[in-house]
Amino acid sequence: NAGVTQTPKFQVLKTGQSMTLQCAQDMNHNSMYWYRQDPGMGLRLIYYSASEGTTDKGEVPNGYNVSRLNKREFSLRLESAAPSQTSVYFCASNVAGDTYEQYFGPGTRLTVT
Amino acid sequence: DQQVKQNSPSLSVQEGRISILNCDYTNSMFDYFLWYKKYPAEGPTFLISISSIKDKNEDGRFTVFLNKSAKHLSLHIVPSQPGDSAVYFCAARPYDKVIFGPGTSLSVIP
């Protein structure tokens, strides 16, 4: 049981390049999330998917797109990377329920130059 | 404007003593509060939670207190251990999402 996995762990992009961050969970969770973590800002929600086939914007969705490929996988795409998107990105999942205890992946450290 | 605030960016405590991490929130509609712990180069892990209908929840060395009238919660760690050194995030749930505070970095000195 690997929990939540993310690839890649590190990535350097030039401004304007595109890339997709991959996330997968093997806990049969319904809900999945993408966050970014910046110094002094905590974790900010980019997009989330309450169930397979649905996605919704979070607090900071601009510049990103997502795809809930199936129940296990939730990808985050940067179409044209900008230096402001330099951050650490975390994927998370949880069972839809009362407590919203989320399980996080190890993160992807992205630098845009 | 941050809805979940952790006004102390860092805290240092001697091993064996009590660590108290504080959190304030602005939205009275939050119905559930959580604390997460994060080590460097790892994702956050869930630590403890409390429903808004309670004022205290305890799990081993960790206790969370909620003061709804003051919109304040705190995490107590007793006794503190060097392995507790990490960043602690306070989080609150409105409806179907979770809002995180900026975090407090705890250092437990042996």
Side-chain angles (χ1 to χ4, degrees):
Chain A
N1 189 343
V4 179
T5 57
Q6 292 183 235
T7 56
K9 286 192 179 350
F10 302 94
Q11 184 71 48
V12 178
L13 291 178
K14 291 187 180 346
T15 298
Q17 288 185 317
S18 62
M19 79 160 296
T20 300
L21 282 66
Q22 307 285 355
C23 173
Q25 52 89 12
D26 61 3
M27 296 173 282
N28 203 35
H29 286 167
N30 295 321
S31 302
M32 297 186 73
Y33 308 80
W34 276 105
Y35 292 92
R36 59 178 288 173
Q37 185 196 3
D38 302 294
M41 301 292 290
L43 292 123
R44 292 183 293 170
L45 183 64
I46 305 171
Y47 270 94
Y48 67 104
S49 171
S51 62
E52 186 179 353
T54 68
T55 60
D56 286 287
K57 294 179 180 179
E59 185 183 354
V60 288
N62 291 343
Y64 305 95
N65 285 302
V66 291
S67 295
R68 184 74 183 266
L69 304 170
N70 48 56
K71 191 171 186 179
R72 289 188 63 248
E73 298 172 289
F74 188 37
S75 63
L76 178 72
R77 182 158 179 85
L78 286 70
E79 291 291 351
S80 179
S84 61
Q85 294 178 305
T86 293
S87 188
V88 182
Y89 291 85
F90 290 100
C91 177
S93 71
N94 67 267
V95 175
D98 290 337
T99 59
Y100 284 87
E101 299 165 17
Q102 296 177 328
Y103 295 80
F104 283 81
T108 294
R109 184 173 293 275
L110 175 67
T111 301
V112 183
T113 61
Chain B
D1 190 30
Q2 286 187 337
Q3 297 188 63
V4 178
K5 303 176 185 180
Q6 294 176 259
N7 293 322
S8 297
S10 62
L11 177 67
S12 289
V13 173
Q14 289 285 339
E15 180 179 3
R17 300 288 187 100
I18 183 171
S19 294
I20 300 176
L21 293 90
N22 294 304
C23 177
D24 297 292
Y25 61 95
T26 59
N27 190 336
S28 59
M29 297 301 291
F30 291 157
D31 64 350
Y32 216 88
F33 302 89
L34 309 96
W35 285 93
Y36 282 83
K37 177 179 179 179
K38 183 184 180 304
Y39 292 118
E42 295 183 10
T45 55
F46 170 75
L47 189 58
I48 192 169
S49 63
I50 187 167
S51 165
S52 61
I53 63 172
K54 297 186 176 181
D55 55 18
K56 177 182 174 181
N57 188 27
E58 193 171 354
D59 183 1
R61 297 186 298 113
F62 302 91
T63 303
V64 57
F65 296 92
L66 175 62
N67 182 335
K68 284 183 66 178
S69 61
K71 294 191 179 68
H72 177 83
L73 65 155
S74 60
L75 174 68
H76 292 211
I77 306 173
V78 185
S80 300
Q81 299 173 353
D84 296 329
S85 296
V87 176
Y88 290 79
F89 291 101
C90 174
R93 187 188 81 168
Y95 312 112
D96 59 350
K97 293 188 285 290
V98 176
I99 297 176
F100 286 82
T104 295
S105 179
L106 173 66
S107 295
V108 179
I109 304 162

